[in-house]
Amino acid sequence: MQVLQVQLEVGPDPAEVGRARRWARSRLVGSGIGDDEPLAETLILLISELVTNAVVHTGCPAVLRMLFGGGGASGTVRVEVADASDCPPLQRHAAGEDTGGRGLELVDGLADRWGWQPEGAGKQIWCEVDRSGPVRAAELPTVVVQGGAGEVCEPPSCVFTDNLA
């Protein structure tokens, strides 16, 4: 199976999230996913959440990757966001009035699969959406997480290794 991979370096400024969304939308159209399709809107929301988390919580640049597997209406779209922090992502449960803390809940609810893994000196958070249609609730996979939770992390040094690019 052939996989097309595209990537974008995202600066540490939260305004870069909008640029990442615009870039991703154009790549989705180039891969055959229409701009007005529900799949495109779902993927843009997932990208927005993952890039926002990387930029806001690390204060460092990040790398956004999109991988398109399969062809036509089948296959999987994988979104990866790598950052310089080795701290594992923490899924919070926001209260009604909280202004943050819903990002990974959205990812968990919208993606068919998601997880994270170490990459270079930092980590990569990924999610996958199957292009063939919605997954029934009985088929929903569990979240794949590698690493420990509750670790105390120091701010990253914002130094990328060659493994991220």
Side-chain angles (χ1 to χ4, degrees), residues 43 46-47 49-51 53-54 63-67 76-83 87-89 91 103-104 106-119 123-130 141-147:
L43 287 164
L46 290 166
I47 287 165
E49 291 301 327
L50 293 180
V51 171
N53 283 352
V63 176
L64 165 62
R65 295 185 200 104
M66 297 171 61
L67 294 86
T76 297
V77 179
R78 181 178 172 107
V79 173
E80 302 174 353
V81 177
D83 63 47
C87 297
Q91 187 173 355
L104 290 178
L106 282 170
V107 172
D108 187 44
L110 293 173
D112 293 314
R113 291 163 297 284
W114 77 275
W116 75 280
Q117 61 197 33
E119 181 173 313
K123 70 177 171 302
Q124 172 198 111
I125 301 177
W126 58 268
C127 65
E128 294 178 341
V129 177
D130 297 326
T142 57
V143 175
V144 178
V145 177
Q146 299 173 352

Side-chain angles (χ1 to χ4, degrees), residues 85-100:
S85 171
D86 64 352
C87 297
L90 298 175
Q91 187 173 355
R92 300 183 333 200
H93 299 285
E97 299 298 317
D98 291 347
T99 58

